[in-house]
Amino acid sequence: MKRYIQKILLVTSLITVGIRYPAKVISQPLSKPKINEVNLYSNRSFITKAVERTGSAVVTIDTQRYVKKRKFPRNSPLFIDPYFERFFGLDLPNDNRPRIEQSQGSGFIFADGLIMTNAHVVNRSDKVIVGLTNGKKFEAKLIGQDFFTDLAVLKIEGKGPWPKAKLGNSAKIKVGDWAIAVGNPFGLENTVTLGIISNLNRNVNQLGIYDKKLELIQTDAAINPGNSGGPLLNSEGEVIGINTLIRSGPGAGLSFAIPINKAKEIAYQLIKNGKVIHPMIGISLIEEKNSERKNNSVKVGYVVPNSPAEKSGIMIEDTIVKVGNKNIETASDVIDQISKNGINKQVNILLKRRNKFIELKVIPTDITNLEKN
């Protein structure tokens, strides 16, 4: 009986194995499996995919500037005092000869033959050469540049078709998102660095830059010399910013990019008009945080003499409560509302001065008019 029970258990086990492992699977001959190309692609990093989507649209920008002979008098002490030359490490007689200065930066093609880059990359250039990733080089002409946002647009002088970068939406990015910086530092094509978005809407005044009108994306993706003007990509390979500057010295390792939404706005104005209008009223702004009330206030830090702000009665230490119909919480709110209002058109500004509310009417002007005052 015992032996009979063992036979039954053995047969049952075999039946179970037959159910779990069908004969056609067990008996299938061993063979070399086919390479699944889709799986191979899916195993590649998102960085590789992102760069492949946009990398061909990234260009090297070589600039040349003709520097004329410096006008030093022949009896200048700069030439007859060897200690001056030795102390400053200068070679003044050679410096005094006409020469060609060369520099390099990056950019990317965003439309048919049109390139976005930084204004400082092409500033005062007499000749611009654009290098593509396929090794071809073309001359390019400057369509327009805007120093207040550090943006420039170039046009390639040649026949396409041209690779184009896909532009993303910088309004959708968040702190912690991936950031991929692409550029050609030192002429090394398609150099890629990876980081995250560290901060949004970083005011350049916080960086000690007062001659620009920029709110930047902050990232820890390394931006090296020569990367200026190259694209900052998201994980999908879309351009979300233009690499523009790095911080050196204390706090080094921070990089900054111009949001692509702002860059597009400026680029299309340059293409259409050759210049950009920047509505201003002539004030600097200071943000103050109130930890008790958990809100911010925006105060006037400086008023430009003879500016629309001064003429309307705005004073230092005034708190800006409202511009137009917008309640003000940040300095960016003020800048946005003034920009949207435009020039030569009245805007209402509500201020608070020594616990008293004052409403003033101000007519913004272009920033170039403020410089003439």
Side-chain angles (χ1 to χ4, degrees):
M1 176 64 72
K2 185 176 181 181
R3 188 173 294 176
Y4 176 75
I5 292 171
Q6 288 176 344
K7 286 181 179 181
I8 296 229
L9 291 173
L10 181 59
V11 171
T12 306
S13 298
L14 290 172
I15 292 171
T16 305
V17 170
I19 294 171
R20 293 188 178 178
Y21 302 96
K24 63 179 180 181
V25 175
I26 295 174
S27 62
Q28 189 174 19
L30 293 174
S31 61
K32 188 176 181 180
K34 290 184 177 181
I35 297 176
N36 190 329
E37 295 180 0
V38 176
N39 287 340
L40 275 180
Y41 183 78
S42 63
N43 288 333
R44 295 159 71 192
S45 79
F46 72 90
I47 307 166
T48 303
K49 299 176 192 176
V51 174
E52 284 183 348
R53 292 188 186 110
T54 304
S56 61
V58 180
V59 300
T60 302
I61 299 175
D62 292 298
T63 63
Q64 296 178 358
R65 183 167 72 95
Y66 180 74
V67 180
K68 296 181 180 180
K69 185 177 179 180
R70 294 183 181 178
K71 296 180 179 179
F72 290 119
R74 289 186 176 275
N75 61 349
S76 170
L78 298 182
F79 291 110
I80 62 178
D81 187 351
Y83 294 101
F84 185 97
E85 178 181 339
R86 201 174 303 162
F87 181 78
F88 287 98
L90 301 176
D91 189 3
L92 293 173
N94 289 335
D95 278 357
N96 197 40
R97 298 172 185 170
R99 67 191 186 280
I100 294 177
E101 287 185 350
Q102 297 182 330
S103 61
Q104 195 172 72
S106 303
F108 61 92
I109 303 171
F110 69 99
D112 191 23
L114 293 172
I115 296 171
M116 276 194 211
T117 186
N118 289 142
H120 75 260
V121 170
V122 295
N123 185 31
R124 295 188 297 170
S125 298
D126 296 311
K127 189 175 183 179
V128 179
I129 304 294
V130 172
L132 275 61
T133 54
N134 60 10
K136 294 182 178 181
K137 293 188 176 183
F138 301 89
E139 284 197 32
K141 66 177 181 179
L142 181 66
I143 298 297
Q145 58 187 329
D146 181 59
F147 295 106
F148 301 108
T149 53
D150 196 27
L151 281 163
V153 175
L154 305 174
K155 173 71 174 178
I156 304 175
E157 295 184 330
K159 293 183 179 180
W162 311 105
K164 299 174 188 175
K166 185 176 181 181
L167 305 186
N169 184 353
S170 52
K172 291 184 177 181
I173 61 177
K174 297 180 180 179
V175 173
D177 285 352
W178 289 111
I180 306 167
V182 185
N184 303 321
F186 313 108
L188 303 174
E189 293 180 354
N190 270 6
T191 297
V192 179
T193 55
L194 177 69
I196 62 168
I197 302 296
S198 307
N199 195 283
L200 299 171
N201 304 320
R202 179 68 75 192
N203 194 311
V204 292
N205 291 345
Q206 296 174 283
L207 305 173
I209 302 172
Y210 301 102
D211 62 339
K212 304 294 181 187
K213 185 186 176 186
L214 290 170
E215 287 191 338
L216 303 175
I217 299 169
Q218 180 181 322
T219 175
D220 62 356
I223 297 176
N224 301 303
N227 270 45
S228 288
L232 185 71
L233 310 178
N234 61 16
S235 58
E236 301 298 319
E238 299 171 331
V239 181
I240 54 172
I242 300 178
N243 305 326
T244 189
L245 61 90
I246 55 176
R247 177 167 185 148
S248 58
L254 302 180
S255 304
F256 300 90
I258 305 166
I260 194 61
N261 289 11
K262 183 65 175 178
K264 284 191 291 186
E265 176 190 328
I266 298 301
Y268 292 133
Q269 287 190 59
L270 289 173
I271 294 168
K272 184 179 179 180
N273 305 315
K275 64 177 184 178
V276 181
I277 299 296
H278 293 288
M280 295 280 183
I281 62 173
I283 58 174
S284 67
L285 302 170
I286 301 172
E287 287 187 9
E288 293 186 350
K289 293 185 178 181
N290 190 322
S291 56
E292 295 180 0
R293 298 179 183 177
K294 296 182 179 179
N295 63 356
N296 295 348
S297 63
V298 179
K299 287 190 173 183
V300 176
Y302 176 75
V303 179
V304 176
N306 202 32
S307 65
E310 185 185 62
K311 292 175 181 177
S312 68
I314 295 177
M315 301 175 65
I316 295 174
E317 293 294 323
D318 283 350
T319 299
I320 302 179
V321 179
K322 187 182 267 190
V323 177
N325 295 321
K326 174 72 175 179
N327 292 321
I328 300 303
E329 296 180 358
T330 65
S332 299
D333 293 336
V334 179
I335 295 169
D336 289 343
Q337 292 305 303
I338 297 296
S339 296
K340 289 177 182 177
N341 183 81
I343 63 173
N344 303 326
K345 181 183 174 183
Q346 184 176 280
V347 61
N348 295 328
I349 298 181
L350 180 64
L351 306 171
K352 187 177 181 181
R353 183 184 300 164
R354 302 186 190 91
N355 296 321
K356 182 180 179 181
F357 289 97
I358 302 171
E359 187 169 8
L360 301 175
K361 300 182 186 301
V362 188
I363 301 177
T365 187
D366 183 50
I367 193 170
T368 55
N369 295 327
L370 292 179
E371 292 182 327
K372 297 174 184 176
N373 291 335

